[in-house]
Amino acid sequence: MEKRIIAHLDMDAFFAAVEEREKPHLKGLPIVVGSDPMEGKGRGVVSTANYLARKYGIHSALPIARAWQFSQSAKKEGKPEVVFLEPNIKKYSGVSQKIFEIIRKYSLQVEESSIDEAYFDLSFVKSFKQAESICQKIKNEIKEKEKLTASIGIGPNKLIAKLASDFQKPDGLTVIGTDDKKKCTELVEIFLNPLPIRKIPGIGPKTEIVLKNKGINFVKDLKNLSKEKLKEMLGKWGADLYDMARGRDNSPIIEEYEIKSIGEQETFLKDTKDAGFLFQKLNELAENIINRFNQGDFRKFKAITLTVRFADFETKTSSKTLSKPINSLDNLKFEALKLLTPFLSAQKNPRKKLIRLIGLRIEKLEK
Ligand code: TTP
Ligand code: MG
């Protein structure tokens, strides 16, 4: 295989950084973007926290009520209180598009892998040094035009680029690689060995526990396990992990993902069984989904999935594939209602549990 030079860019504290840039009076304060904390009674989660708020122990996906508690404790210690802001996804998507446009000036092969992340191919420049100077230019341009900082990692593949972009956040530029193939492999190994296993994409909290129970804490420990052993422990994915621990990854840059589904969900302020309320919320979800569907270039959809989370967090889904594809709001509302109704009776809710969240998703989109 030809030598590759791959870069990965990840914006720093993205939602919070955009808010900070637009509200100069927030400079130097801890900021959390997430659902309304309602003075500690809020039930949603943190989308992101800026680096000052992270010092309080606040991070993405933390319950917003916990974030509120952390902020109150900090206040008691005489530190500034957290500024809580609600997300404005439309605004962040706009900024995201501008960032991707800047990257596209320097590379023709770009994979937008999330709202604030992209992989891009720089193999055409032939040297890691040149790739580094291009990435420095990208960072400078983002800083100048968008007043935001990004972290970029460069490596011989997507795996190493992604790990490298995370290595010196915020405002980092990390190169793991060199033009000599053998030396490059050595550099990659030196970089990977001491990383905690949790850093490897795909190792989540559950796999982490399985591996830690076997005394595997760092990437270098992973290398003591044969491919067969890893497969036995983790299934087919174990074989990929065997290669990843050695810094090997051939996955290509995927320029365009096909949108496969459109979904929305809502956690209620209070757990409920009120049918009128639930039907109204379901209608609102359907309206938002149809709006997003109409903005895209799909014409019909054929499947619908409803998610119900009960007060005790038990979560159930119910799906229906239609005999004929549909596209109207009324049809979606009607089908969604049919999926929800059994959860309000003994049929799918025999213990009459209250409902905490409902989610609706349309799938099998057709052009
Ligand atoms: P991340 O890149 O994971 O986080 P970040 O950009 O805020 O911070 P970092 O400097 O560590 O990269 O996610 C990008 C955005 O996606 C983030 O600003 C908010 C949103 N997000 C959520 O809404 N919920 C989540 O659980 C996560 C992880 C991110
Ligand atoms: Mg980010």
Side-chain angles (χ1 to χ4, degrees), residues 90-287:
K90 215 172 181 173
K91 178 161 76 187
Y92 312 140
S93 304
V95 180
S96 171
Q97 285 316 307
K98 296 227 168 89
I99 306 287
F100 296 144
E101 271 167 37
I102 293 175
I103 298 174
R104 283 181 198 285
K105 292 206 273 182
Y106 296 89
S107 168
L108 294 174
Q109 249 182 298
V110 182
E111 170 177 336
E112 300 174 7
S113 54
S114 86
I115 192 163
D116 82 327
E117 275 177 68
Y119 293 93
F120 48 102
D121 197 320
L122 296 174
S123 307
F124 64 93
V125 297
K126 303 292 179 221
S127 91
F128 275 88
K129 266 268 157 302
Q130 262 179 287
E132 181 175 358
S133 94
I134 290 182
C135 290
Q136 187 60 57
K137 280 191 194 147
I138 292 175
K139 275 165 60 78
N140 293 349
E141 195 166 331
I142 291 173
K143 208 172 276 179
E144 202 175 295
K145 292 201 173 132
E146 294 300 321
K147 312 284 179 234
L148 293 169
T149 63
S151 294
I152 304 186
I154 304 172
N157 56 48
K158 283 169 77 177
L159 170 70
I160 301 303
K162 165 118 179 141
L163 293 169
S165 73
D166 184 53
F167 195 63
Q168 300 187 73
K169 263 185 167 292
D171 205 9
L173 176 54
T174 306
V175 186
I176 306 295
T178 184
D179 301 329
D180 177 273
K181 203 162 180 194
K182 193 158 158 257
K183 275 210 191 108
C184 189
T185 310
E186 281 170 22
L187 277 179
V188 164
E189 221 170 309
I190 293 168
F191 171 67
L192 280 180
N193 279 338
L195 292 184
I197 48 171
R198 186 61 193 277
K199 291 276 178 193
I200 300 281
I203 298 191
K206 286 186 196 142
T207 313
E208 186 184 26
I209 291 170
V210 172
L211 291 167
K212 285 205 161 160
N213 282 340
K214 298 229 179 265
I216 297 158
N217 296 298
F218 301 99
V219 174
K220 72 170 178 331
D221 306 331
L222 266 177
K223 292 194 202 160
N224 296 329
L225 300 179
S226 67
K227 204 176 239 184
E228 285 62 41
K229 181 76 196 161
L230 278 168
K231 273 202 255 183
E232 183 192 308
M233 287 170 68
L234 304 169
K236 226 171 69 191
W237 184 69
D240 294 335
L241 189 57
Y242 179 89
D243 287 331
M244 287 164 109
R246 286 155 183 79
R248 296 178 202 144
D249 168 30
N250 291 330
S251 56
I253 302 249
I254 299 169
E255 289 179 68
E256 266 192 79
Y257 279 101
E258 182 105 53
I259 301 172
K260 294 210 180 76
S261 68
I262 302 174
E264 300 250 338
Q265 61 177 48
E266 184 171 342
T267 304
F268 309 127
L269 290 175
K270 269 182 69 184
D271 302 330
T272 180
K273 242 179 15 191
D274 178 338
F277 173 83
L278 289 165
F279 292 159
Q280 189 206 325
K281 287 295 169 189
L282 190 66
N283 282 343
E284 286 171 20
L285 293 176
E287 279 157 26

Side-chain angles (χ1 to χ4, degrees), residues 9-15 48 51 54 114 116-117 169:
L9 175 146
D10 187 330
M11 299 301 293
D12 302 321
F14 185 49
F15 294 2
T48 196
Y51 283 73
R54 287 182 202 189
S114 86
D116 82 327
E117 275 177 68
K169 263 185 167 292

